[in-house]
Amino acid sequence: MFDYETLRVIWWALLGILLIGFAIMDGFDFGIAALLRVLTRSEEERLVLLETIEPTWEGNQVWFILGGGATFAAWPMLYAVSFSGMYLAIFLVLLAFIMRPVGFNFRGKVHDPRWRNAWDWVLVLSGVVVMLISGVAFGNLFLGVPFQFDGNLRMTWHGSFFELLHPFALVAGLVSLSMLLAHGACWAAYKADHVIADRAARMARWATLAYSVFYVVAGIWLAYGAAGFAIVGPVVTDGPSNPLYKEVAHGSSWFASYMQYPWFWAAPVLGLLGAIGVQLIVAKRGLGAFLCSSVMVAGTILSAGFALFPFLLPSSLDPRSSLTVWDASSSRGTLQLMLGAALVFMPIIIAYTSWVFHVLRGRVTLEHIRESGHTY
């Protein structure tokens, strides 16, 4: 149905869609968790805030599972290198994912303020760790990560976890953290009791302001302080998946793809417009601000993906070993088979998710919590 080159581009786009879906749908859950002790002043208020995500947080994780599964099947070399090389970072993210449901389920098992406070801080840390490390990982893509292949495509990794904490990567982590805190605050402003919503609206404004500053700083750093990667010589877009068949130069601009495809600039513009939209309308405490923060998240991820294209995982040790869209994919038959499955199941997931959020529409109030007697 599609040639190999087209299938690779389609799956690069689908990987981006899955990342955006994960950041939007699970991002506000982690933002709420991280803000649990910031936006609330009492146990009842904390129950309200948790109730805004309790019915949907587990379902939202399907985007994380889909992203991991798609990476494993469509980009096996990317999966192998990143998951083995960044093992400790990914372990911390998975630990945070594991501790979140434990926090939800355990905090109400003992009616002791110290017990609940302890699990509240577990939830806060789970949110912060995922948001921060995810951004740090993205930042390291622009720096290049320390791996290389030998002639038999055996990978070796020469870095450590602490080497990933480069200043630019930390700025990228702060972009992610502030962005998703704003996203979570917009959700709280839309769904929580008006007392909490007022605080959430103020938090959303401060977080989007911080996001805008960090995002612009990261862009300037990329333009003037971080050398990019570029394929030199002829580019074979439908060849075998062997990264050693190409030559890569390190020292070009990360914005070269933006010069080649000017419409790429729409992504960072969308990100900043989304942040401006949050600033302007979050005080209304409606759905509009959450939609604006979703646009901000999507624009930010797209801008990073467009800058990296066609690279998926650049190598700082051996630029030729860098993984790109053209040499890190599965076979044409695998990509085509998976595309058929994606075209069937993704609309079902989106339709079901939309129906769930429609059924659960409405604000969670303090009166609701008092009448239901619900505890966590």
Side-chain angles (χ1 to χ4, degrees):
M1 181 169 61
F2 294 108
D3 59 40
Y4 203 7
E5 176 186 359
T6 304
L7 282 169
R8 282 169 161 167
V9 173
I10 289 173
W11 272 102
W12 170 76
L14 283 175
L15 180 61
I17 290 170
L18 292 173
L19 284 174
I20 291 170
F22 164 62
I24 290 176
M25 299 305 298
D26 225 12
F28 73 82
D29 291 343
F30 284 109
I32 290 290
L35 293 170
L36 181 61
R37 302 291 298 197
V38 177
L39 298 180
T40 60
R41 302 291 183 270
S42 66
E43 175 61 19
E44 282 186 338
E45 290 185 0
R46 283 188 274 280
L47 292 176
V48 167
L49 202 57
L50 291 173
E51 184 73 12
T52 65
I53 60 173
E54 191 273 338
T56 57
W57 70 266
E58 249 179 326
N60 290 339
Q61 288 192 150
V62 71
W63 293 97
F64 178 73
I65 297 168
L66 283 173
T71 304
F72 174 78
W75 309 100
M77 297 181 76
L78 173 64
Y79 183 93
V81 173
S82 59
F83 275 63
S84 57
M86 299 184 185
Y87 181 83
L88 182 55
I90 292 174
F91 171 80
L92 290 175
V93 170
L94 291 178
L95 181 62
F97 266 91
I98 292 168
M99 293 308 295
R100 182 171 61 159
V102 175
F104 282 137
N105 292 323
F106 276 36
R107 74 178 303 277
K109 298 298 184 183
V110 177
H111 298 288
D112 185 327
R114 292 171 298 179
W115 173 268
R116 289 182 172 177
N117 289 342
W119 286 109
D120 285 348
W121 285 109
V122 168
L123 290 172
V124 170
L125 287 174
S126 71
V128 171
V129 165
V130 172
M131 294 185 291
L132 186 62
I133 291 184
S134 297
V136 167
F138 250 100
N140 274 279
L141 297 184
F142 291 99
L143 300 170
V145 290
F147 75 96
Q148 63 183 13
F149 292 107
D150 64 13
N152 296 316
L153 291 183
R154 290 176 297 191
M155 189 275 290
T156 54
W157 185 279
H158 297 274
S160 67
F161 171 76
F162 294 103
E163 290 177 7
L164 299 176
L165 304 179
H166 184 278
F168 173 77
L170 292 175
V171 170
L174 291 174
V175 171
S176 172
L177 180 63
S178 56
M179 176 180 72
L180 295 179
L181 285 176
H183 193 46
C186 287
W187 179 255
Y190 168 58
K191 286 287 291 183
D193 187 272
H194 292 288
V195 174
I196 302 171
D198 289 339
R199 299 181 198 132
R202 291 193 293 271
M203 174 57 67
R205 282 184 171 146
W206 282 108
T208 51
L209 180 61
Y211 155 81
S212 301
V213 172
F214 291 131
Y215 186 56
V216 171
V217 168
I220 294 172
W221 197 324
L222 279 183
Y224 298 104
F229 292 74
I231 300 176
V232 295
V235 179
V236 180
T237 58
D238 59 354
S241 289
N242 188 329
L244 300 181
Y245 285 172
K246 67 179 181 304
E247 293 296 328
V248 175
H250 186 203
S252 63
S253 170
W254 276 119
F255 289 94
S257 58
Y258 281 78
M259 301 300 107
Q260 185 177 359
Y261 307 103
W263 63 271
F264 279 7
W265 287 104
V269 170
L270 279 177
L272 292 173
L273 285 178
I276 293 171
V278 171
Q279 290 282 342
L280 293 176
I281 66 175
V282 72
K284 297 180 181 179
R285 298 175 302 183
L287 181 60
F290 179 73
L291 295 177
C292 285
S293 67
S294 298
V295 170
M296 175 179 68
V297 171
T300 303
I301 294 175
L302 285 173
S303 65
F306 289 162
L308 284 166
F309 185 82
F311 289 90
L312 298 172
L313 193 66
S315 169
S316 58
L317 290 182
D318 177 21
R320 192 169 63 122
S321 296
S322 300
L323 301 180
T324 74
V325 172
W326 314 125
D327 56 30
S329 72
S330 295
S331 66
R332 179 175 180 270
T334 300
L335 296 182
Q336 194 157 297
L337 178 64
M338 288 179 57
L339 179 60
L343 292 175
V344 171
F345 290 105
M346 280 192 68
I348 295 174
I349 293 169
I350 293 171
Y352 176 75
T353 302
S354 301
W355 176 77
V356 168
F357 278 88
H358 174 73
V359 170
L360 296 172
R361 66 191 182 279
R363 196 174 289 275
V364 181
T365 64
L366 287 166
E367 288 73 20
H368 165 73
I369 293 298
R370 291 164 185 158
E371 292 172 1
S372 65
H374 191 57
T375 60
Y376 288 92

